[in-house]
Amino acid sequence: MKRFMILPYLMIILFCLTGCKKEDDGPSGPSGPVLTWMHSYGGDFSDIGLDIVEIPTGGYYLVGTTETEEMGFRKYLLIRLDENGDELWERIIIGEDEAEGCVIGVNSDNEVLLALISETMLNCYDDEGNLLWTVSHDSELENITGMHILTDGSILISGSTRNFGFEIPALLMCNAIGNEIWCNSYSIDGLWFGFGVQPSGLAGFLLYGSILSDPGPTDPAVWRPFLLSTTGNGDEMWQQSYPFENTTGDDDYAYAVGVVHHTNDSIYLQCLRYVGTSHTPSSCLLRVNNYGVEQSRTQIQVSGRDECVRVIESEDGNVIVTGVGQSNADGTSKFMIISYDPGMNLLWSSLHGNAGKDDLLCNAIVTSDGGYILVGFEDSLGAQLEDILVVKTDQNGNL
């Protein structure tokens, strides 16, 4: 697995990976009232929400990890929810290794697909949570960082492979039952830290993460956000890194943690940066063109401490940034959702979570009614008894 030192929250985000949804022909728009709710899920020990996907026939599949005293190590947890967030069933999935991270998707048969990081494996379950098939891809990939399901049912998985001992980005295309169609890797000038994959508006794909070029004997190490564009067959079109000025002289970590190819043909890249010895978080949204050339950027400053980890497009064409912000009421961290217009002008923002608890967001998706689902976990302020937290908002980020 990854060898590089990284901050705890960012490691959780890496394990959550990129939200996965079935590719469609575009948003259909809200057809009725938008449901809003907030629910916690979990038992007497540690439960962390990683990813969520909407089921075409209604409801959601939620995936996370759980740890119990009896079993002694972390396992995957698959939960089915109805439209109101009420739990219908849950399944504990035990693998050979301790559960680390997972990406979830759903196919046209309402079957749920899980890409397991710790197993480098793709599993498929029916709508009752029964295992249908499993395929290992540890011979093709060193790890898994993202997944996307195409309209024909094929499954695209992002990850890394090794070249002369170093990890480099890779894409694996599988058929609807998880068998390899093609696998491509990509040469880069530096060390690679991958986060995921999203479709591009050019019938291809966007791999995103960070790259560390050789800093030299006296320069500080600098991780830069990195974007790689491919065709639909996985052939590389271009790759580009995006520098941030290092003003402290200390190690500087800047990661591309989310990307969306907007319908206006712009690519929006969500960057999360940790600066200096104190690792102060800083979030920035970049807008680049179809060739990866940066057009503009904006610093995200909504609360006292903004750690933004996802970017998605709303039903009405705005740019939605999600992450963690600081509550003015008690100083705790809360789920944060921010809306920008395509020109990156701030429209609105909101914070959500339970009072007296620190909440950490791991993923977010747009729902078919035009609202948003935010998933992560809440921590009882040092008690180390995390519970999964899911928030369903309306189209304006309200509960």
Side-chain angles (χ1 to χ4, degrees), residues 78-96:
L78 178 62
I79 302 174
R80 181 163 182 172
L81 309 175
D82 66 14
E83 293 88 342
N84 298 303
D86 296 322
E87 183 176 325
L88 300 177
W89 51 255
E90 69 173 49
R91 304 286 183 265
I92 293 178
I93 300 168
I94 303 174
E96 295 182 0

Side-chain angles (χ1 to χ4, degrees), residues 209-211 223-225 242 244 252-256 271-274:
S210 290
I211 187 172
W223 284 93
R224 293 181 175 182
Y242 303 93
F244 283 78
D252 193 339
Y253 304 89
Y255 304 93
C271 301
L272 178 60
R273 186 182 181 200
Y274 293 96

Side-chain angles (χ1 to χ4, degrees), residues 297-317:
R297 65 175 64 185
T298 186
Q299 193 73 20
I300 297 174
Q301 294 177 318
V302 174
S303 73
R305 182 183 175 94
D306 303 319
E307 296 183 71
C308 299
V309 297
R310 289 290 178 266
V311 58
I312 50 182
E313 183 178 350
S314 69
E315 292 279 2
D316 56 2

Side-chain angles (χ1 to χ4, degrees), residues 127-383:
D127 57 7
E128 294 295 329
N130 302 304
L131 181 65
L132 297 176
W133 52 260
T134 181
V135 179
S136 174
H137 289 292
D138 58 0
S139 63
E140 299 99 333
L141 298 175
E142 181 75 13
N143 61 25
I144 292 174
T145 58
M147 178 174 65
H148 188 75
I149 302 173
L150 280 65
T151 52
D152 63 359
S154 55
I155 305 161
L156 180 72
I157 300 174
S158 64
S160 65
T161 187
R162 286 191 180 272
N163 183 36
F164 296 104
F166 294 97
E167 291 184 17
I168 59 175
L171 284 178
L172 171 67
M173 182 69 79
C174 302
N175 62 18
I177 55 174
N179 297 315
E180 178 184 343
I181 299 174
W182 52 257
C183 185
N184 287 354
S185 60
Y186 308 94
S187 297
I188 57 173
D189 183 19
L191 300 179
W192 166 249
F193 199 104
F195 276 84
V197 64
Q198 286 292 329
S200 77
L202 304 175
F205 309 105
L206 293 169
L207 266 166
Y208 60 98
S210 290
I211 187 172
L212 175 65
S213 299
D214 186 358
T218 60
D219 299 330
V222 178
W223 284 93
R224 293 181 175 182
F226 181 84
L227 196 58
L228 188 149
S229 176
T230 77
T231 67
N233 294 319
D235 298 323
E236 180 179 336
M237 297 176 65
W238 51 259
Q239 57 177 263
Q240 182 69 50
S241 64
Y242 303 93
F244 283 78
E245 182 181 2
N246 187 322
T247 59
T248 66
D250 298 308
D251 286 358
D252 193 339
Y253 304 89
Y255 304 93
V257 293
V259 69
V260 63
H261 200 147
H262 196 278
T263 50
N264 68 2
D265 275 344
S266 292
I267 299 170
Y268 293 88
L269 190 65
Q270 178 58 53
C271 301
L272 178 60
R273 186 182 181 200
Y274 293 96
V275 181
T277 56
S278 62
H279 300 299
T280 303
S282 175
S283 295
C284 186
L285 184 64
L286 274 61
R287 181 167 62 90
V288 306
N289 65 18
N290 284 330
Y291 302 98
V293 178
E294 182 178 340
Q295 304 296 297
S296 59
R297 65 175 64 185
T298 186
Q299 193 73 20
I300 297 174
Q301 294 177 318
V302 174
S303 73
R305 182 183 175 94
D306 303 319
E307 296 183 71
C308 299
V309 297
R310 289 290 178 266
V311 58
I312 50 182
E313 183 178 350
S314 69
E315 292 279 2
D316 56 2
N318 290 319
V319 181
I320 304 298
V321 172
T322 61
V324 172
Q326 187 175 43
S327 168
N328 291 327
D330 57 10
T332 57
S333 60
K334 301 298 173 195
F335 287 5
M336 178 170 64
I337 181 168
I338 310 167
S339 178
Y340 293 91
D341 67 19
M344 297 195 298
N345 300 299
L346 179 65
L347 299 176
W348 51 259
S349 67
S350 59
L351 297 174
H352 300 291
N354 289 312
K357 295 184 178 182
D358 274 323
D359 307 314
L360 294 178
L361 183 136
C362 293
N363 226 323
I365 61 172
V366 181
T367 54
S368 59
D369 61 6
Y372 308 98
I373 284 268
L374 314 177
V375 60
F377 61 97
E378 56 184 8
D379 186 355
S380 299
L381 297 182

